[in-house]
Amino acid sequence: MRDEGGRGIPAAEVVAGAARVRTDDAGRFRLRVDDTVRTVRVRHPGYRYVDVAVDALARAVVLRAVPRALDAVVVTASRREQRLKDAVVPIELVSRAEIERTGAPDVAAVLVEQVGIQLEGGTPTGAGVQLQGFGAQRVLVLVDGQPLVGRINGNLDASRIPASMVERIEVVKGPQSTLYGSDAIGGVINVITRRPAGGRTELQLQAIGGQLGRAEASGTLLRGTPRTDLSLDVGARTQDLAPGFADVADAYARRAHVAPTLRWRADSTWTLETGGMFVSEAQRYRTGLDFRFADRTQLAWRAAAAWQKGAHRVQPLLYVTRFDHLARSSPGAAPLDGAGDRDRQDLAEFELTYAGKVAGAQVDAGLEARREGIRADRVPGGDRALYRIEPYAQATLVRGPVSITPGTRVTIDELWGTAVTPRLAMLWRPHAPLALRLTAGRGFRAPDFKELFLEFVNTQVGYAVIGNPSLRPEYSTSVAADVEWVRDAWTARVNVFDNRFRDFIEYRQNDDGLFQLQNVGRGTTRGVETEVTLLVGAARLEAGYAFLRTRDEATGRALLGRPRHSGRLGLSGPLHDRLRGSLTVLYTGSTPVALGPTGLIAGFQPVFIRADARLVARVRTGIDMILGVDNLLDRRLGPGWPGFTGRLVYLGASWRRP
């Protein structure tokens, strides 16, 4: 049994009359049938079942994924493993198969093809993720449930995370501060790294080359045994352009990464795990006559132990992450030694979580203690640290088809005080394919170090920007309703949301003529997102549309950088026995991007349509050739748009040994 990508499917059930067997780790099975059996049925959660004639079993049987796998395992809604259909808040799941179908080299390139997700930023901030009208500064990015540091001007660059190391991406929109604390006003992006499935061993190698000097290679090893799981992903990528910068003259971006994980099952109750990732980046681009350089390293590491007995699970976890950024300029093509501005951000966190049944309710609770630090040239004293402690809990009560989950978090910070962020979510499933989810909650974002302590003086232009140690957290209040209908051949989903925010941190000129950050921003973001997926024979058709309306209460105008209309159309499937293809068309409506002297919107980014195409040819078992074109229509936008928007053709090869 194999999936559409040619990988063996373990634990698929094969039924022939009264006989039943399951496939092994490579998707193989042995089944003895008598002469009266003409067909067998093959089924597996997440795939459409198929009836196969007995005389056709000698050939590989391909199972095709259902439009939405309700039995898929997710973790972001409750910080524990549960089935997708049981999650009380809506989760958008991007599977490994979908990631490979996009041909994307990084997480940002994967997310931009999802409905209702926009990228923002540019050079040197990279590609941040925007959800429900909230910018990247207010969207929390996690890797295996843990936050990364490394924001530049508020953006955490999602293109820093390589796609080769990712098993799936879980997106939860709307405020998630009850479970995840600060920065989750707009939602959470949880990147789950690859792990061995069913105790099998898999090795995958891939190489891609393309226009503008694109060259990348990656290798993934997944090794599973009865006691241990090992995963290792390594790779490197280079291209003659910098993210968010349209001019390719003398530009480059280089990245190398390694991401190992080791899990050991000590006995039936204890599991130990350690893992993380290391990413190194170097970028160069030109502004005027000068060259600009950005050199970065990202380190994240975790060590955890899990004890489980019956319905009770306790997990202590220690996590550290560091981001080091060096920005330099030079009149020549190489940076000057000893020059530049350095910015190092650190986070150390201890976390203790509990999940289990208490008085008939599923309880998910935890305690987080963290230290955040920064060492930067523009922070007085050059070195600052803040301490925070955060208990949280939620309980899920199930009564027939209804699940209700109240929860809250208390955040205690040594500088700005205490924040309380409650949430109430409800799931009603009156019929197995139909689900209604309602959510109301509060989100918050704590002021960061530069907002609190920044001191920047530009004597040439004649202005200064200073931080404000008296800043309070930003808050949002949100209500949302989500309706989902899932069938074997199609699925449809509608989400309606209303977010109100206050105390957002913005620059204001004080009495001394200095620009200082203050809690003054108020406004709303409201919208509707719809998605439909159809399976027509072996083809998969996906369509989505998002409407977004934003308002700044102080001016009455829309927020900049937020398109009112956006959409997606995708078509994929087999073109021949050994050839698969996919086409994705993205529509981004007219977007306000600049203000005039009177404060009214004066500049718009025009309508942008991007089409990506990809062909994958199976040369032989385990070997694929890849041909792709990003931005088939060769549409180009201004230099502030994240990512280069010219047409790019690439060719690659992939080898997989199950």
Side-chain angles (χ1 to χ4, degrees):
M1 303 300 144
R2 298 190 179 278
D3 62 17
E4 295 168 281
R7 292 172 293 189
I9 301 176
E13 186 180 51
V14 184
V15 182
R20 297 170 182 261
V21 297
R22 291 191 179 273
T23 57
D24 64 13
D25 294 342
R28 299 182 295 250
F29 69 95
R30 290 180 179 273
L31 179 64
R32 187 183 299 275
V33 297
D34 58 41
D35 295 338
T36 63
V37 176
R38 296 288 183 266
T39 61
V40 300
R41 173 163 291 186
V42 183
R43 57 194 181 197
H44 189 283
Y47 296 88
R48 300 177 68 186
Y49 74 84
V50 61
D51 292 324
V52 185
V54 171
D55 57 5
L57 288 175
R59 299 189 299 271
V61 177
V62 177
L63 298 185
R64 306 193 185 283
V66 295
R68 185 165 170 83
L70 294 180
D71 286 324
V73 175
V74 294
V75 297
T76 309
S78 58
R79 301 188 69 153
R80 60 175 165 82
E81 291 187 347
Q82 63 180 155
R83 293 180 300 177
L84 179 62
K85 66 181 180 182
D86 296 329
V88 293
V89 297
I91 296 182
E92 298 176 25
L93 182 64
V94 186
S95 67
R96 180 65 200 172
E98 293 175 277
I99 294 171
E100 292 185 348
R101 192 157 54 236
T102 66
D106 53 62
V107 166
V110 174
L111 292 174
V112 76
E113 295 199 1
Q114 310 306 310
V115 175
I117 297 180
Q118 302 291 330
L119 300 184
E120 65 176 17
T123 302
T125 60
V129 181
Q130 184 187 117
L131 298 178
Q132 293 189 350
F134 289 110
Q137 194 168 14
R138 299 168 178 97
V139 174
L140 182 62
V141 178
L142 310 172
V143 175
D144 289 325
Q146 304 303 318
L148 293 175
V149 295
R151 293 182 182 272
I152 302 174
N153 296 338
N155 266 11
L156 197 144
D157 185 8
S159 70
R160 195 181 304 154
I161 308 173
S164 62
M165 63 181 277
V166 181
E167 178 62 31
R168 67 182 188 274
I169 304 173
E170 299 177 11
V171 182
V172 185
K173 298 176 181 176
Q176 305 301 317
S177 295
T178 298
L179 288 183
Y180 294 101
S182 179
D183 300 342
I185 283 181
V188 170
I189 308 288
N190 194 2
V191 178
I192 311 299
T193 58
R194 301 178 70 178
R195 307 255 174 106
R200 62 178 175 171
T201 298
E202 181 178 333
L203 177 62
Q204 182 176 358
L205 303 175
Q206 180 170 280
I208 290 178
Q211 289 180 292
L212 292 179
R214 178 179 176 180
E216 61 184 84
S218 64
T220 305
L221 171 65
L222 306 175
R223 168 73 173 166
T225 71
R227 296 288 296 274
T228 62
D229 291 334
L230 170 67
S231 65
L232 177 64
D233 188 83
V234 297
R237 179 175 188 250
T238 183
Q239 196 158 12
D240 296 335
L241 57 90
F245 202 76
D247 188 357
V248 300
D250 301 311
Y252 64 69
R254 300 166 183 165
R255 182 189 70 201
H257 77 275
V258 57
T261 298
L262 177 63
R263 178 186 291 180
W264 177 51
R265 288 172 284 276
D267 54 34
S268 60
T269 58
W270 282 98
T271 302
L272 306 179
E273 179 180 330
T274 185
M277 74 172 189
F278 174 79
V279 180
S280 176
E281 292 183 305
Q283 297 176 5
R284 183 182 71 185
Y285 56 97
R286 296 192 70 166
T287 56
L289 299 177
D290 289 338
F291 288 86
R292 306 287 180 179
F293 303 88
D295 298 295
R296 305 166 182 151
T297 58
Q298 177 90 60
L299 172 68
W301 198 265
R302 68 187 182 279
W307 174 87
Q308 181 153 5
K309 191 168 185 179
H312 302 278
R313 179 182 176 88
V314 178
Q315 177 173 293
L317 181 144
L318 181 63
Y319 174 73
V320 294
T321 179
R322 169 175 288 183
F323 176 75
D324 195 296
H325 172 66
L326 176 62
R328 293 178 286 179
S329 62
S330 171
L336 301 176
D337 293 336
D341 295 321
R342 184 172 293 278
D343 182 341
R344 194 185 80 188
Q345 303 172 37
D346 294 279
L347 169 64
E349 181 175 277
F350 173 76
E351 175 184 296
L352 182 65
T353 58
Y354 167 79
K357 295 283 188 179
V358 178
Q362 173 65 49
V363 174
D364 302 294
L367 177 68
E368 297 176 1
R370 62 166 59 190
R371 176 195 181 275
E372 290 186 78
I374 189 170
R375 180 173 295 173
D377 297 332
R378 295 177 180 177
V379 171
D383 200 346
R384 291 276 186 166
L386 291 174
Y387 296 85
R388 188 182 302 168
I389 187 167
E390 301 176 273
Y392 67 89
Q394 69 174 23
T396 301
L397 308 171
V398 180
R399 295 295 181 268
V402 178
S403 300
I404 299 177
T405 304
T408 193
R409 171 185 288 253
V410 179
T411 301
I412 304 169
D413 187 277
E414 65 167 330
L415 183 64
W416 49 258
T418 301
V420 180
T421 48
R423 183 181 72 181
L424 179 64
M426 185 193 78
L427 165 65
W428 178 39
R429 193 174 287 280
H431 182 49
L434 178 63
L436 170 65
R437 293 176 170 91
L438 301 175
T439 308
R442 195 184 197 197
F444 88 101
R445 184 185 76 88
D448 63 30
F449 284 99
K450 292 182 180 179
E451 291 170 334
L452 293 167
F453 306 120
L454 175 69
E455 287 188 1
F456 173 70
V457 179
N458 190 324
T459 56
Q460 294 180 339
V461 180
Y463 74 95
V465 179
I466 60 174
N468 183 356
S470 300
L471 288 174
R472 306 179 306 276
E474 304 174 336
Y475 288 100
S476 74
T477 302
S478 171
V479 293
D482 184 274
V483 180
E484 177 184 75
W485 189 286
V486 178
R487 306 296 296 182
D488 286 342
W490 61 269
T491 181
R493 187 164 168 262
V494 179
N495 181 271
V496 181
F497 59 89
D498 183 297
N499 301 307
R500 302 170 185 267
F501 60 86
R502 65 177 175 84
D503 292 334
F504 270 26
I505 297 169
E506 297 180 358
Y507 286 104
R508 290 291 186 270
Q509 194 168 11
N510 64 19
D511 295 337
D512 298 326
L514 301 176
F515 288 93
Q516 187 175 42
L517 289 160
Q518 299 177 16
N519 293 99
V520 293
R522 300 175 66 92
T524 59
T525 72
R526 297 167 177 163
V528 180
E529 296 178 2
T530 63
E531 295 179 83
V532 176
T533 302
L534 301 174
L535 299 182
V536 183
R540 183 183 182 97
L541 176 65
E542 300 170 292
Y545 166 74
F547 170 79
L548 176 66
R549 183 178 181 181
T550 65
R551 178 182 173 87
D552 183 331
E553 294 295 340
T555 63
R557 61 169 172 79
L559 302 179
L560 298 182
R562 278 76 170 173
R564 177 165 287 198
H565 305 279
S566 60
R568 173 181 184 266
L569 184 66
L571 178 63
S572 61
L575 303 175
H576 189 266
D577 184 45
R578 291 178 172 266
L579 183 66
R580 306 188 309 277
S582 64
L583 174 66
T584 303
V585 180
L586 304 174
Y587 171 86
T588 304
S590 178
T591 306
V593 293
L595 298 178
T598 62
L600 299 177
I601 295 174
F604 288 84
Q605 195 76 270
V607 170
F608 177 57
I609 298 177
R610 168 175 164 167
D612 297 341
R614 179 176 165 91
L615 294 173
V616 179
R618 174 60 47 85
V619 177
R620 54 178 298 181
T621 302
I623 300 178
D624 291 337
M625 296 298 296
I626 305 163
L627 173 64
V629 184
D630 289 341
N631 194 7
L632 190 64
L633 304 177
D634 198 27
R635 295 294 302 274
R636 300 167 185 263
L637 293 174
W641 200 267
F644 187 77
T645 54
R647 182 190 298 119
L648 294 175
V649 180
Y650 60 90
L651 180 67
S654 175
W655 173 75
R656 178 186 287 114
R657 190 186 73 179

